[in-house]
Amino acid sequence: MKRLLRFLKDWTLPVAISIGVALYFLFTRCLALHAAADVLTPWVERLFPFNVFLILWATFTKVDFRTLRLPRWALRLTAVQIASAAVLLGGAMMLRDGGSLVVSGALACVIAPCATASPVVTGKLGGNIQDMTAYVLISSLLSALFIPFCAAMLAPSGVGSLATMVQVGVRVLWRVGAVLVLPLILGCAVRYWLSPLYRWVVRHSDLPFYLWCLALATTSGITVRAIDQSALPIATLLALAAGALLVCLAQFSIGRRIGHCFNSRVEGGQALGQKNTALIIWATSTFFNPATSLAPGCYVLWQNIVNSWQIHRARHVKQAKTQRRAGE
């Protein structure tokens, strides 16, 4: 039993992904559960945003907003993101059909904002939650500019109008603001005015992480559903998944290298590599070719496999240090 609990603790994220995928196939392939799936699906879709809200609230409650500042590495990461997006946007505009779709999928994974849950993983890895929270806010605002511009440039009629860009930008900004601002305000209120609740959240420091695992299981099931129900050729699906994997590994690697220059290796990797896939899946489904959303859907799986490996490695490094100190 202890070995099972240890395994679940070490590999929580892959287990969450596996549960989400397994539940999707269980409810869709088992005829006896089809009626239950019809009843549960709307409830899952309604409760998912509330779960994300709780994750952010629990995270922001522990942040001292008086100390927030622009991280030193933020400008370099932003420059890399803009340059990468420009290259991929040019490629998507020049290519046609399947090639354009695959490159557009990679572009979506680049222009997505930093994940709102990234401070949770950063804290698990021993990084600076304050810096990550500041970067999440900055990255979300920047994506409200990136997404409408790219959507307008890839519109079937060519370059979109300024009015279209503004309309899309406002909708993206509204969705980001609704997700970020209210938990931020309530987190501040709890920290400064509700001390008993604040102490309870601090005492249960892993609460945001396990709430995020629940959200990850849900997202994994939704991603597999999109792939399972897609009418795209297998070759195109594999190309979208491979493109998302390459972008994921590149962003984590480049982010960690840039962060290393500022003694912020963990923060740099999470800032550039961990993406708000829920937002970009919605944006690509709404403003791009809907099939493009399969790439950030696959990115969900790739980024959390990377996160799982990082958390597992960090935990074992910490245990090895503790054992060395005990032996001295």
Side-chain angles (χ1 to χ4, degrees), residues 31 71 92 121 129 187 218 246 288:
L31 293 176
V121 180
I129 296 178
T218 305
L246 290 175
F288 289 57

Side-chain angles (χ1 to χ4, degrees), residues 61-132:
T61 298
K62 295 183 286 185
V63 173
D64 185 354
F65 289 91
R66 293 172 297 186
T67 64
L68 285 186
R69 56 183 174 76
L70 180 68
R72 293 180 299 162
W73 39 263
L75 292 178
R76 290 200 187 182
L77 291 190
T78 301
V80 168
Q81 189 178 16
I82 292 172
S84 304
V87 171
L88 291 170
L89 178 61
M93 292 175 68
M94 288 189 293
L95 295 171
R96 294 288 180 270
D97 302 326
S100 178
L101 180 64
V102 171
V103 177
S104 295
L107 172 64
C109 298
V110 168
I111 63 176
C114 182
T116 49
S118 58
V120 177
V121 180
T122 301
K124 276 285 185 183
L125 297 174
N128 189 315
I129 296 178
Q130 311 282 119
D131 283 358
M132 283 305 302

Side-chain angles (χ1 to χ4, degrees), residues 257 323-324:
R257 286 177 181 274
Q323 289 172 357
R324 278 202 302 271

Side-chain angles (χ1 to χ4, degrees), residues 4-272:
L4 176 61
L5 292 174
R6 184 181 180 83
F7 173 82
L8 291 175
K9 187 175 181 180
D10 285 349
W11 297 103
T12 308
L13 299 187
V15 169
I17 293 171
S18 301
I19 289 173
V21 173
L23 286 176
Y24 167 75
F25 283 114
L26 178 65
F27 278 94
T28 56
R29 298 300 189 266
C30 181
L31 293 176
L33 294 176
H34 282 186
D38 293 338
V39 173
L40 291 173
T41 298
W43 280 101
V44 170
E45 292 174 351
R46 290 191 195 105
L47 291 174
F48 180 71
F50 180 69
N51 187 32
V52 173
F53 172 88
L54 288 177
I55 294 167
L56 295 179
W57 168 76
T59 303
F60 289 156
T61 298
K62 295 183 286 185
V63 173
D64 185 354
F65 289 91
R66 293 172 297 186
T67 64
L68 285 186
R69 56 183 174 76
L70 180 68
R72 293 180 299 162
W73 39 263
L75 292 178
R76 290 200 187 182
L77 291 190
T78 301
V80 168
Q81 189 178 16
I82 292 172
S84 304
V87 171
L88 291 170
L89 178 61
M93 292 175 68
M94 288 189 293
L95 295 171
R96 294 288 180 270
D97 302 326
S100 178
L101 180 64
V102 171
V103 177
S104 295
L107 172 64
C109 298
V110 168
I111 63 176
C114 182
T116 49
S118 58
V120 177
V121 180
T122 301
K124 276 285 185 183
L125 297 174
N128 189 315
I129 296 178
Q130 311 282 119
D131 283 358
M132 283 305 302
T133 301
Y135 187 76
V136 167
L137 299 173
I138 296 164
S139 176
S140 298
L141 292 174
L142 288 173
S143 288
L145 301 176
F146 291 153
I147 293 171
F149 178 76
C150 293
M153 295 295 287
L154 293 174
S157 57
V159 178
S161 66
L162 179 61
T164 301
M165 294 185 195
V166 171
Q167 182 184 15
V168 174
V170 168
R171 291 181 66 183
V172 172
L173 193 58
W174 173 258
R175 187 175 177 97
V176 170
V179 171
L180 283 175
V181 175
L182 187 56
L184 188 152
I185 293 171
L186 291 179
C188 285
V190 168
R191 181 181 179 89
Y192 298 116
W193 296 313
L194 295 173
S195 297
L197 182 56
Y198 168 69
R199 288 194 294 270
W200 183 87
V201 173
V202 170
R203 199 162 56 245
H204 297 82
S205 58
D206 282 339
L207 177 63
F209 179 73
Y210 291 112
L211 286 171
W212 179 54
C213 290
L214 178 60
L216 177 58
T218 305
T219 307
S220 301
I222 293 171
T223 299
V224 173
R225 181 182 65 181
I227 295 171
D228 188 40
Q229 296 177 356
S230 172
L232 291 174
I234 294 296
T236 304
L237 287 173
L238 291 175
L240 284 165
L245 175 60
L246 290 175
V247 170
C248 178
L249 295 177
Q251 290 190 132
F252 271 104
S253 177
I254 293 170
R256 288 178 70 86
R257 286 177 181 274
I258 292 174
H260 181 68
C261 299
F262 300 94
N263 197 29
S264 300
R265 192 176 178 88
V266 169
E267 295 88 335
Q270 297 310 122
L272 196 61

